[in-house]
CSV table of all heavy atoms in Angstrom, one decimal:
chain,number,residue,atom,x,y,z
P,1,HIS,N,-4.5,-5.2,1.0
P,1,HIS,CA,-4.4,-5.8,-0.3
P,1,HIS,C,-4.4,-7.3,-0.2
P,1,HIS,O,-5.1,-7.9,-1.1
P,1,HIS,CB,-3.0,-5.3,-1.0
P,1,HIS,CG,-2.8,-5.9,-2.3
P,1,HIS,ND1,-3.5,-5.5,-3.4
P,1,HIS,CD2,-2.0,-6.9,-2.8
P,1,HIS,CE1,-3.1,-6.2,-4.5
P,1,HIS,NE2,-2.2,-7.1,-4.1
P,2,TYR,N,-3.8,-7.9,0.8
P,2,TYR,CA,-3.8,-9.3,0.9
P,2,TYR,C,-4.9,-9.9,1.7
P,2,TYR,O,-5.0,-11.1,2.0
P,2,TYR,CB,-2.4,-9.8,1.4
P,2,TYR,CG,-1.3,-9.5,0.5
P,2,TYR,CD1,-0.3,-8.6,0.7
P,2,TYR,CD2,-1.3,-10.2,-0.8
P,2,TYR,CE1,0.7,-8.4,-0.2
P,2,TYR,CE2,-0.3,-10.0,-1.7
P,2,TYR,CZ,0.7,-9.1,-1.4
P,2,TYR,OH,1.7,-8.8,-2.3
P,3,GLY,N,-5.9,-9.0,2.1
P,3,GLY,CA,-7.1,-9.5,2.9
P,3,GLY,C,-6.8,-9.8,4.3
P,3,GLY,O,-7.7,-10.4,4.9
P,4,GLU,N,-5.7,-9.3,4.9
P,4,GLU,CA,-5.5,-9.6,6.3
P,4,GLU,C,-6.3,-8.7,7.2
P,4,GLU,O,-6.6,-9.0,8.4
P,4,GLU,CB,-4.0,-9.4,6.6
P,4,GLU,CG,-3.1,-10.4,5.8
P,4,GLU,CD,-1.6,-10.1,6.0
P,4,GLU,OE1,-1.2,-9.4,6.9
P,4,GLU,OE2,-0.8,-10.6,5.2
P,5,ILE,N,-6.6,-7.5,6.7
P,5,ILE,CA,-7.5,-6.6,7.5
P,5,ILE,C,-8.5,-6.0,6.5
P,5,ILE,O,-8.4,-6.1,5.3
P,5,ILE,CB,-6.7,-5.4,8.2
P,5,ILE,CG1,-5.9,-4.6,7.1
P,5,ILE,CG2,-5.7,-6.0,9.2
P,5,ILE,CD1,-5.3,-3.3,7.7
P,6,GLU,N,-9.6,-5.4,7.1
P,6,GLU,CA,-10.7,-4.9,6.3
P,6,GLU,C,-10.2,-3.6,5.5
P,6,GLU,O,-9.4,-2.8,6.1
P,6,GLU,CB,-11.8,-4.5,7.3
P,6,GLU,CG,-13.1,-4.1,6.5
P,6,GLU,CD,-14.2,-3.8,7.5
P,6,GLU,OE1,-14.3,-4.5,8.6
P,6,GLU,OE2,-15.1,-3.0,7.1
P,7,HIS,N,-10.7,-3.5,4.3
P,7,HIS,CA,-10.4,-2.3,3.5
P,7,HIS,C,-11.0,-1.1,4.1
P,7,HIS,O,-12.2,-1.1,4.5
P,7,HIS,CB,-10.9,-2.5,2.1
P,7,HIS,CG,-10.0,-3.5,1.3
P,7,HIS,ND1,-9.1,-3.0,0.4
P,7,HIS,CD2,-10.0,-4.8,1.2
P,7,HIS,CE1,-8.5,-4.1,-0.2
P,7,HIS,NE2,-9.0,-5.2,0.3
P,8,ARG,N,-10.2,0.0,4.1
P,8,ARG,CA,-10.7,1.3,4.5
P,8,ARG,C,-9.9,2.3,3.9
P,8,ARG,O,-8.7,2.0,3.5
P,8,ARG,CB,-10.7,1.4,6.1
P,8,ARG,CG,-9.3,1.5,6.7
P,8,ARG,CD,-9.4,1.5,8.2
P,8,ARG,NE,-8.2,1.9,8.8
P,8,ARG,CZ,-7.0,1.2,8.9
P,8,ARG,NH1,-7.0,0.0,8.4
P,8,ARG,NH2,-6.0,1.7,9.5
P,9,PRO,N,-10.3,3.5,3.7
P,9,PRO,CA,-9.5,4.6,3.1
P,9,PRO,C,-8.4,5.0,4.1
P,9,PRO,O,-8.7,5.3,5.3
P,9,PRO,CB,-10.5,5.7,2.9
P,9,PRO,CG,-11.7,5.5,3.7
P,9,PRO,CD,-11.7,4.0,4.0
P,10,ILE,N,-7.2,5.0,3.7
P,10,ILE,CA,-6.0,5.4,4.5
P,10,ILE,C,-5.1,6.3,3.7
P,10,ILE,O,-5.1,6.3,2.4
P,10,ILE,CB,-5.2,4.2,5.0
P,10,ILE,CG1,-4.6,3.4,3.9
P,10,ILE,CG2,-6.1,3.3,5.9
P,10,ILE,CD1,-3.6,2.3,4.3
P,11,TYR,N,-4.3,7.0,4.4
P,11,TYR,CA,-3.2,7.8,3.8
P,11,TYR,C,-2.1,7.8,4.8
P,11,TYR,O,-2.3,7.5,6.0
P,11,TYR,CB,-3.6,9.1,3.3
P,11,TYR,CG,-3.9,10.2,4.4
P,11,TYR,CD1,-2.9,11.1,4.8
P,11,TYR,CD2,-5.1,10.2,5.0
P,11,TYR,CE1,-3.2,12.0,5.8
P,11,TYR,CE2,-5.4,11.1,6.0
P,11,TYR,CZ,-4.5,12.0,6.4
P,11,TYR,OH,-4.7,12.9,7.3
P,12,GLY,N,-0.9,8.1,4.3
P,12,GLY,CA,0.3,8.1,5.3
P,12,GLY,C,1.5,8.4,4.5
P,12,GLY,O,1.5,9.0,3.4
P,13,GLU,N,2.6,7.9,5.1
P,13,GLU,CA,3.9,8.2,4.5
P,13,GLU,C,4.6,6.9,4.0
P,13,GLU,O,4.5,5.9,4.6
P,13,GLU,CB,4.8,8.8,5.6
P,13,GLU,CG,4.3,10.1,6.2
P,13,GLU,CD,5.1,10.6,7.4
P,13,GLU,OE1,6.2,10.2,7.6
P,13,GLU,OE2,4.5,11.3,8.2
P,14,ALA,N,5.3,7.1,2.8
P,14,ALA,CA,6.0,6.0,2.3
P,14,ALA,C,7.2,6.6,1.5
P,14,ALA,O,7.0,7.7,0.8
P,14,ALA,CB,5.2,5.1,1.3
P,15,SER,N,8.3,6.0,1.5
P,15,SER,CA,9.5,6.5,0.7
P,15,SER,C,9.2,6.1,-0.7
P,15,SER,O,8.3,5.3,-1.0
P,15,SER,CB,10.7,5.8,1.2
P,15,SER,OG,10.7,4.4,0.9
P,16,PRO,N,9.9,6.7,-1.6
P,16,PRO,CA,9.7,6.4,-3.1
P,16,PRO,C,10.0,4.9,-3.3
P,16,PRO,O,9.3,4.2,-4.1
P,16,PRO,CB,10.7,7.2,-3.8
P,16,PRO,CG,10.9,8.4,-2.9
P,16,PRO,CD,10.8,7.9,-1.5
P,17,GLU,N,10.9,4.3,-2.6
P,17,GLU,CA,11.2,2.9,-2.7
P,17,GLU,C,10.1,2.0,-2.2
P,17,GLU,O,9.7,1.0,-2.8
P,17,GLU,CB,12.5,2.5,-2.0
P,17,GLU,CG,13.8,3.1,-2.6
P,17,GLU,CD,14.0,4.6,-2.1
P,17,GLU,OE1,13.4,5.0,-1.1
P,17,GLU,OE2,14.7,5.3,-2.9
P,18,GLU,N,9.5,2.4,-1.1
P,18,GLU,CA,8.4,1.7,-0.5
P,18,GLU,C,7.2,1.8,-1.5
P,18,GLU,O,6.5,0.8,-1.7
P,18,GLU,CB,8.0,2.2,0.9
P,18,GLU,CG,9.0,1.9,1.9
P,18,GLU,CD,8.7,2.6,3.2
P,18,GLU,OE1,8.3,3.8,3.2
P,18,GLU,OE2,8.9,2.0,4.3
P,19,ALA,N,6.9,2.9,-2.0
P,19,ALA,CA,5.8,3.1,-3.0
P,19,ALA,C,6.0,2.2,-4.2
P,19,ALA,O,5.1,1.6,-4.7
P,19,ALA,CB,5.7,4.6,-3.3
P,20,ARG,N,7.2,2.2,-4.7
P,20,ARG,CA,7.5,1.4,-5.9
P,20,ARG,C,7.3,-0.1,-5.6
P,20,ARG,O,6.7,-0.8,-6.4
P,20,ARG,CB,8.9,1.6,-6.4
P,20,ARG,CG,9.1,2.7,-7.4
P,20,ARG,CD,10.4,2.7,-8.1
P,20,ARG,NE,10.8,4.1,-8.2
P,20,ARG,CZ,11.6,4.8,-7.4
P,20,ARG,NH1,12.2,4.1,-6.4
P,20,ARG,NH2,11.9,6.0,-7.6
P,21,ALA,N,7.7,-0.5,-4.4
P,21,ALA,CA,7.5,-1.9,-4.0
P,21,ALA,C,6.0,-2.3,-3.9
P,21,ALA,O,5.6,-3.3,-4.3
P,21,ALA,CB,8.2,-2.2,-2.7
P,22,LEU,N,5.2,-1.3,-3.4
P,22,LEU,CA,3.8,-1.6,-3.3
P,22,LEU,C,3.2,-1.7,-4.7
P,22,LEU,O,2.4,-2.6,-5.0
P,22,LEU,CB,3.1,-0.4,-2.5
P,22,LEU,CG,3.3,-0.4,-1.0
P,22,LEU,CD1,2.8,1.0,-0.5
P,22,LEU,CD2,2.7,-1.5,-0.3
P,23,ILE,N,3.6,-0.8,-5.6
P,23,ILE,CA,3.1,-0.9,-7.0
P,23,ILE,C,3.5,-2.2,-7.6
P,23,ILE,O,2.7,-2.8,-8.3
P,23,ILE,CB,3.5,0.4,-7.7
P,23,ILE,CG1,2.9,1.6,-7.2
P,23,ILE,CG2,3.3,0.2,-9.2
P,23,ILE,CD1,3.4,2.9,-7.6
P,24,ASP,N,4.7,-2.6,-7.4
P,24,ASP,CA,5.2,-3.8,-8.0
P,24,ASP,C,4.4,-5.0,-7.5
P,24,ASP,O,4.2,-6.0,-8.2
P,24,ASP,CB,6.7,-4.0,-7.7
P,24,ASP,CG,7.6,-3.1,-8.5
P,24,ASP,OD1,7.1,-2.5,-9.4
P,24,ASP,OD2,8.8,-2.9,-8.1
P,25,GLU,N,3.9,-4.9,-6.3
P,25,GLU,CA,3.1,-6.0,-5.7
P,25,GLU,C,1.6,-6.0,-6.2
P,25,GLU,O,0.8,-6.8,-5.8
P,25,GLU,CB,3.1,-6.0,-4.2
P,25,GLU,CG,4.5,-6.3,-3.6
P,25,GLU,CD,4.5,-6.2,-2.1
P,25,GLU,OE1,3.5,-6.7,-1.4
P,25,GLU,OE2,5.5,-5.7,-1.5
P,26,GLY,N,1.3,-4.9,-6.9
P,26,GLY,CA,-0.1,-4.8,-7.3
P,26,GLY,C,-1.0,-3.9,-6.4
P,26,GLY,O,-2.2,-3.9,-6.6
P,27,VAL,N,-0.4,-3.3,-5.4
P,27,VAL,CA,-1.2,-2.5,-4.5
P,27,VAL,C,-1.3,-1.1,-5.1
P,27,VAL,O,-0.4,-0.5,-5.5
P,27,VAL,CB,-0.4,-2.3,-3.1
P,27,VAL,CG1,-1.3,-1.5,-2.2
P,27,VAL,CG2,-0.2,-3.7,-2.5
P,28,GLU,N,-2.6,-0.7,-5.3
P,28,GLU,CA,-2.8,0.6,-5.9
P,28,GLU,C,-2.6,1.7,-4.9
P,28,GLU,O,-3.3,1.8,-3.9
P,28,GLU,CB,-4.2,0.7,-6.5
P,28,GLU,CG,-4.4,-0.2,-7.7
P,28,GLU,CD,-5.7,0.1,-8.4
P,28,GLU,OE1,-6.2,1.2,-8.4
P,28,GLU,OE2,-6.3,-0.9,-9.0
P,29,VAL,N,-1.6,2.5,-5.2
P,29,VAL,CA,-1.3,3.7,-4.3
P,29,VAL,C,-1.1,4.9,-5.2
P,29,VAL,O,-0.7,4.8,-6.3
P,29,VAL,CB,-0.1,3.5,-3.4
P,29,VAL,CG1,-0.3,2.3,-2.5
P,29,VAL,CG2,1.2,3.2,-4.3
């Protein structure tokens, strides 16, 4: 999201709190 690494399709594990934090930062998950 912040351009530190190249975009690629990924999936994995995140707690509900981590997912909410990503969404709050504007990361589409």
Side-chain angles (χ1 to χ4, degrees):
H1 179 74
Y2 292 113
E4 297 173 18
I5 62 174
E6 186 176 331
H7 284 261
R8 69 186 197 285
I10 63 169
Y11 70 99
E13 300 171 22
S15 70
E17 295 79 21
E18 290 171 323
R20 270 190 221 100
L22 288 169
I23 291 167
D24 290 344
E25 290 179 45
V27 180
E28 289 190 34
V29 296

